[in-house]
Amino acid sequence: DQTHSQRWVLAIGLVLQSVGLSLVPVMLNTAAAPTRTALAYGVALAMGTSGSFCSNVRSTVYAEYYGRKYLGLAQSLASSLTVFGSAIGPFPFGLAKDVTGSFALAFRVAGVFPLLAAFTVLAFGRRGEQPGHGDAKTRGNYGAV
């Protein structure tokens, strides 16, 4: 079922994001240059792959959950929340750096949130049938993810 596969793809992307964020403190505390470089590549690979997984699912989920009629509204609200999160996101990282002298704690804490989101998507990410949403008139065939 398409919704089931979307949930798994999104959950995998979120777990990869958690791994990438959690590797940053390890990378920052590693003295050996070759190991630090390898960890930097690992972080980049995990975060890049995570972005690919999540971006691909995002487009289809909005259409599947809200239908084409409300697709623009759903995408614009999500984009606004993304910009808002990007604006306030640096504050807790700066605060952690000021208090602890390092970004390590901030990255460790930040790594927990995508992991919680992945479990939430798998446990509660089922869509109930709603009148007017997801029927043949409002939903296009966006293909399985």
Side-chain angles (χ1 to χ4, degrees), residues 5-139:
S5 65
Q6 289 171 339
R7 285 194 337 245
W8 277 101
V9 171
L10 184 57
I12 290 168
L14 290 166
V15 168
L16 286 169
Q17 184 177 34
S18 181
V19 168
L21 289 169
S22 299
L23 281 175
V24 171
V26 176
M27 178 185 70
L28 294 175
N29 292 327
T30 301
T35 305
R36 184 178 250 193
T37 301
L39 285 169
Y41 279 112
V43 168
L45 182 64
M47 296 301 286
T49 305
S50 166
S52 296
F53 274 57
C54 294
S55 293
N56 285 322
V57 172
R58 181 180 56 228
S59 303
T60 60
V61 167
Y62 292 155
E64 181 71 26
Y65 275 63
Y66 302 106
R68 290 188 308 190
K69 183 176 180 182
Y70 300 106
L71 183 58
L73 177 65
Q75 287 179 332
S76 65
L77 179 61
S79 293
S80 298
L81 291 173
T82 300
V83 170
F84 178 71
S86 297
I88 65 167
F91 176 72
F93 279 78
L95 185 62
K97 170 81 168 153
D98 289 345
V99 170
T100 67
S102 170
F103 288 112
L105 177 64
F107 276 102
R108 285 188 187 107
V109 171
V112 171
F113 291 110
L115 196 57
L116 292 174
F119 289 123
T120 302
V121 164
L122 290 175
F124 304 108
R126 294 176 185 87
R127 177 180 169 270
E129 288 303 316
Q130 300 171 1
H133 292 280
D135 59 11
K137 293 180 183 174
T138 59
R139 186 183 80 212

